[in-house]
Amino acid sequence: MSDAGIDSSQPNGRHEEAALSAPSPSRRTDPDARRSDDVVRNLLRRIREGSLRTGDKLPNERDLATEFGVSRPVIREAISHLTGRGVVSPRGGSGSTVTAVAPERAQEALVLYLRDNRLDYRSIHEVRELIESHAAGVAAVRASPADVEALQQSMRTLRESPGHLAAAADADVAFHSIITRITGNEVIELILSSLHTSLVTVRRHNLALPSAYKEAVRSHQAILDAIVEGDETGARVAMSAHLSAVFQYWQETNQPEVP
Amino acid sequence: MSDAGIDSSQPNGRHEEAALSAPSPSRRTDPDARRSDDVVRNLLRRIREGSLRTGDKLPNERDLATEFGVSRPVIREAISHLTGRGVVSPRGGSGSTVTAVAPERAQEALVLYLRDNRLDYRSIHEVRELIESHAAGVAAVRASPADVEALQQSMRTLRESPGHLAAAADADVAFHSIITRITGNEVIELILSSLHTSLVTVRRHNLALPSAYKEAVRSHQAILDAIVEGDETGARVAMSAHLSAVFQYWQETNQPEVP
DNA sequence: GCCGCAATATTGGTCTTACCGCTTTGAGCT
DNA sequence: AGCTCAAAGCGGTAAGACCAATATTGCGGC
């Protein structure tokens, strides 16, 4: 890792180094090498290594500009880049501060990745079934009365809204989200919510099928029953069966198109 | 969703607005509302809704500037932001193009999220054991001779480098990565590589302990044996035991500090 | 002496202009 | 027709200036 740009050499004026036999490393040669990238790397390194910690203020843009020997626009560009990544957040008037990456940011990145790379549903399904079945099992052990009530509420909504696609989809998502939340594991929550977002198409498609809709109601009830009884294995198996059924329905009734 | 800024009003030159009685919707009022944010939102919407698809070129910066009624720096800032998110990549000389979000980007976001939110190892471990045990089972069924050879190679390296922390850690990572790759599931690969990155501290800490190091060698061998024999359940169980042991070692010998 | 408020300094946000170097393209030459 | 090379197009960078909001300071009143 070169990590160039940390030294404050190259004060400002571009150096001339006349006729370096090499491919002339002077000025700019590679169009994909922006000056701001050096700044980005450097700041990220400072953050990673702790000299800039979450909550700290970055030096002001003008100082950074002189420090790196570049102009302010370059610094601003670097900060914009970092803002896009969610690691700093500038505030007009006061400085820019290093912030913790929000879960939404990570989730969004995951969703976009899944979307852009058109991953086959099989891969997503494999992970989802694995994690969510586990979550159901944990929920069976840990669910509080309030949790159970919330689950029952979403069941009622789901049951009472056949034909109401939007409502049914919401109730479906709610049911699964509640179970996820019961685990109290943020990593699980993050991953599953990302997968759920990516599967919105699948969900809508399936719930529009009467048979799949009925299956969903039946399966959700089975899962809920197992959770109420504290039957860890039962909940896990029921969830697994449910998700497999969802996958099945999608595959049988759908064009090879992907979520 | 306001989505302001799409109209090309406010042509360019700063208007004088002599004593506008109204709350003066002109200029800027909120320091956290950058003009570039409007552009970002708008472009993201175009991408999401398909009017800008992956691989397409963005209009050039000057045109965007006049279209949005802002100056070029604002457009550049918006593009920097999107570049940070990994959804566009500008190329000097030619225009900026919409790109697919790279897995590394999603992985990085996950890693930073895990790091910044100081999630307890327990949550990470729970997910890791779940997924990686599954992966080991799949690997037992699918591993090709080349895969097995690669695994044996990493075993040899691990075994031959006691005291060589860096080498041992690399071999450890390699072993787990190979198993992950055998699943052929990109989602699994993404998640586990993120978790592995987050656990670099744990890995280093543990491998420095002679007992944990020996355990690692033993467990890896057991996992490999099960994979070679095509014993799905055996591989899963062995992996699960191994990861639990790792977790155990960490908890017993470590300050409450988190990865 | 302490507190509140106004003047001021600081800082990010935006605009403008200008120039550089790479990429692309197309016209002219071979 | 194919090739070459110059012009046009485009992003990258610089420098200077001004605005609005925040943060700071210091003065005056209580």
Side-chain angles (χ1 to χ4, degrees), chain B residues 18 36 40 51 54 62 72 101 116 148 162-163 174 204 213 221 255:
Chain B
S36 61
V40 167
S51 84
T54 299
R62 288 155 177 100
R72 189 148 87 99
V101 170
D116 288 345
V148 171
R204 268 212 282 268
Y213 170 76
Q221 188 61 56
Q255 58 283 10

mmCIF file of all heavy atoms in Angstrom, chain B residues 18 36 40 51 54 62 72 101 116 148 162-163 174 204 213 221 255:
data_model
loop_
_atom_site.group_PDB
_atom_site.id
_atom_site.type_symbol
_atom_site.label_atom_id
_atom_site.label_comp_id
_atom_site.label_asym_id
_atom_site.label_seq_id
_atom_site.Cartn_x
_atom_site.Cartn_y
_atom_site.Cartn_z
ATOM 1 N N ALA B 18 -34.314 41.993 -3.215
ATOM 2 C CA ALA B 18 -34.327 43.108 -2.276
ATOM 3 C C ALA B 18 -35.438 42.906 -1.255
ATOM 4 O O ALA B 18 -36.615 42.985 -1.559
ATOM 5 C CB ALA B 18 -34.545 44.424 -3.025
ATOM 6 N N SER B 36 -25.882 20.418 -3.378
ATOM 7 C CA SER B 36 -25.468 19.176 -4.044
ATOM 8 C C SER B 36 -26.339 17.998 -3.614
ATOM 9 O O SER B 36 -26.470 17.021 -4.344
ATOM 10 C CB SER B 36 -24.003 18.881 -3.731
ATOM 11 O OG SER B 36 -23.821 18.707 -2.339
ATOM 12 N N VAL B 40 -27.744 14.973 -5.797
ATOM 13 C CA VAL B 40 -27.523 13.576 -5.446
ATOM 14 C C VAL B 40 -28.839 12.812 -5.443
ATOM 15 O O VAL B 40 -28.970 11.746 -6.043
ATOM 16 C CB VAL B 40 -26.851 13.459 -4.056
ATOM 17 C CG1 VAL B 40 -26.910 12.033 -3.547
ATOM 18 C CG2 VAL B 40 -25.414 13.939 -4.127
ATOM 19 N N SER B 51 -34.028 5.473 -15.508
ATOM 20 C CA SER B 51 -33.730 6.377 -16.611
ATOM 21 C C SER B 51 -32.218 6.516 -16.766
ATOM 22 O O SER B 51 -31.737 6.977 -17.797
ATOM 23 C CB SER B 51 -34.391 7.738 -16.395
ATOM 24 O OG SER B 51 -33.594 8.561 -15.573
ATOM 25 N N THR B 54 -27.059 1.140 -15.208
ATOM 26 C CA THR B 54 -25.649 0.812 -15.039
ATOM 27 C C THR B 54 -24.950 0.789 -16.396
ATOM 28 O O THR B 54 -25.420 0.151 -17.320
ATOM 29 C CB THR B 54 -25.500 -0.564 -14.367
ATOM 30 O OG1 THR B 54 -26.114 -0.496 -13.093
ATOM 31 C CG2 THR B 54 -24.049 -0.926 -14.214
ATOM 32 N N ARG B 62 -20.968 20.272 -17.074
ATOM 33 C CA ARG B 62 -21.443 21.614 -17.417
ATOM 34 C C ARG B 62 -22.927 21.602 -17.744
ATOM 35 O O ARG B 62 -23.680 22.500 -17.348
ATOM 36 C CB ARG B 62 -20.620 22.166 -18.577
ATOM 37 C CG ARG B 62 -19.189 22.557 -18.158
ATOM 38 C CD ARG B 62 -18.227 22.515 -19.334
ATOM 39 N NE ARG B 62 -16.883 22.944 -18.967
ATOM 40 C CZ ARG B 62 -15.899 22.099 -18.710
ATOM 41 N NH1 ARG B 62 -16.115 20.795 -18.744
ATOM 42 N NH2 ARG B 62 -14.696 22.546 -18.398
ATOM 43 N N ARG B 72 -20.877 24.494 -11.498
ATOM 44 C CA ARG B 72 -20.201 23.216 -11.694
ATOM 45 C C ARG B 72 -19.669 22.621 -10.395
ATOM 46 O O ARG B 72 -19.775 21.415 -10.194
ATOM 47 C CB ARG B 72 -19.085 23.365 -12.728
ATOM 48 C CG ARG B 72 -18.491 22.045 -13.145
ATOM 49 C CD ARG B 72 -18.018 22.053 -14.588
ATOM 50 N NE ARG B 72 -16.662 22.538 -14.721
ATOM 51 C CZ ARG B 72 -15.606 21.740 -14.847
ATOM 52 N NH1 ARG B 72 -15.747 20.444 -14.826
ATOM 53 N NH2 ARG B 72 -14.414 22.258 -14.984
ATOM 54 N N VAL B 101 -22.399 -1.261 -7.955
ATOM 55 C CA VAL B 101 -21.731 -1.186 -6.665
ATOM 56 C C VAL B 101 -20.862 -2.431 -6.476
ATOM 57 O O VAL B 101 -21.350 -3.555 -6.554
ATOM 58 C CB VAL B 101 -22.751 -1.082 -5.524
ATOM 59 C CG1 VAL B 101 -22.066 -1.242 -4.186
ATOM 60 C CG2 VAL B 101 -23.458 0.258 -5.588
ATOM 61 N N ASP B 116 -17.469 0.818 13.899
ATOM 62 C CA ASP B 116 -17.903 2.050 14.553
ATOM 63 C C ASP B 116 -18.928 1.807 15.641
ATOM 64 O O ASP B 116 -19.009 2.548 16.606
ATOM 65 C CB ASP B 116 -18.495 3.012 13.520
ATOM 66 C CG ASP B 116 -17.425 3.600 12.637
ATOM 67 O OD1 ASP B 116 -16.248 3.493 13.016
ATOM 68 O OD2 ASP B 116 -17.761 4.145 11.580
ATOM 69 N N VAL B 148 -9.659 -29.114 -2.280
ATOM 70 C CA VAL B 148 -9.062 -29.882 -1.183
ATOM 71 C C VAL B 148 -7.560 -29.624 -1.122
ATOM 72 O O VAL B 148 -6.994 -29.434 -0.036
ATOM 73 C CB VAL B 148 -9.332 -31.397 -1.370
ATOM 74 C CG1 VAL B 148 -8.531 -32.199 -0.358
ATOM 75 C CG2 VAL B 148 -10.823 -31.678 -1.219
ATOM 76 N N PRO B 162 4.272 -22.023 13.645
ATOM 77 C CA PRO B 162 3.932 -21.640 15.012
ATOM 78 C C PRO B 162 4.878 -20.510 15.396
ATOM 79 O O PRO B 162 6.052 -20.547 15.056
ATOM 80 C CB PRO B 162 4.235 -22.897 15.819
ATOM 81 C CG PRO B 162 5.133 -23.742 14.973
ATOM 82 C CD PRO B 162 5.184 -23.180 13.591
ATOM 83 N N GLY B 163 4.371 -19.538 16.047
ATOM 84 C CA GLY B 163 5.215 -18.403 16.403
ATOM 85 C C GLY B 163 5.260 -17.363 15.321
ATOM 86 O O GLY B 163 5.497 -16.197 15.580
ATOM 87 N N ALA B 174 -6.990 -17.859 4.989
ATOM 88 C CA ALA B 174 -7.070 -18.567 3.709
ATOM 89 C C ALA B 174 -7.947 -19.805 3.842
ATOM 90 O O ALA B 174 -8.820 -20.064 3.003
ATOM 91 C CB ALA B 174 -5.673 -18.956 3.232
ATOM 92 N N ARG B 204 -5.577 -12.481 15.698
ATOM 93 C CA ARG B 204 -4.197 -12.274 16.134
ATOM 94 C C ARG B 204 -4.017 -12.621 17.608
ATOM 95 O O ARG B 204 -3.046 -13.263 18.002
ATOM 96 C CB ARG B 204 -3.808 -10.807 15.898
ATOM 97 C CG ARG B 204 -3.162 -10.592 14.559
ATOM 98 C CD ARG B 204 -2.141 -9.478 14.629
ATOM 99 N NE ARG B 204 -2.793 -8.169 14.622
ATOM 100 C CZ ARG B 204 -3.033 -7.475 13.532
ATOM 101 N NH1 ARG B 204 -2.676 -7.942 12.370
ATOM 102 N NH2 ARG B 204 -3.627 -6.303 13.596
ATOM 103 N N TYR B 213 -3.681 -21.811 19.445
ATOM 104 C CA TYR B 213 -3.042 -22.153 18.177
ATOM 105 C C TYR B 213 -3.165 -23.648 17.904
ATOM 106 O O TYR B 213 -3.535 -24.080 16.817
ATOM 107 C CB TYR B 213 -1.572 -21.736 18.213
ATOM 108 C CG TYR B 213 -0.764 -22.256 17.058
ATOM 109 C CD1 TYR B 213 -0.865 -21.673 15.797
ATOM 110 C CD2 TYR B 213 0.085 -23.351 17.222
ATOM 111 C CE1 TYR B 213 -0.133 -22.155 14.731
ATOM 112 C CE2 TYR B 213 0.819 -23.845 16.161
ATOM 113 C CZ TYR B 213 0.709 -23.242 14.913
ATOM 114 O OH TYR B 213 1.426 -23.735 13.871
ATOM 115 N N GLN B 221 -7.835 -29.397 10.932
ATOM 116 C CA GLN B 221 -7.614 -30.736 10.388
ATOM 117 C C GLN B 221 -8.913 -31.540 10.416
ATOM 118 O O GLN B 221 -9.255 -32.241 9.452
ATOM 119 C CB GLN B 221 -6.533 -31.458 11.200
ATOM 120 C CG GLN B 221 -6.104 -32.776 10.574
ATOM 121 C CD GLN B 221 -5.521 -32.552 9.172
ATOM 122 O OE1 GLN B 221 -4.572 -31.790 8.995
ATOM 123 N NE2 GLN B 221 -6.104 -33.201 8.173
ATOM 124 N N GLN B 255 -9.378 -8.900 27.774
ATOM 125 C CA GLN B 255 -10.026 -7.760 28.375
ATOM 126 C C GLN B 255 -11.377 -7.586 27.687
ATOM 127 O O GLN B 255 -11.546 -7.966 26.546
ATOM 128 C CB GLN B 255 -9.174 -6.510 28.198
ATOM 129 C CG GLN B 255 -8.870 -6.162 26.750
ATOM 130 C CD GLN B 255 -7.794 -7.033 26.136
ATOM 131 O OE1 GLN B 255 -7.365 -8.042 26.718
ATOM 132 N NE2 GLN B 255 -7.366 -6.667 24.940
#
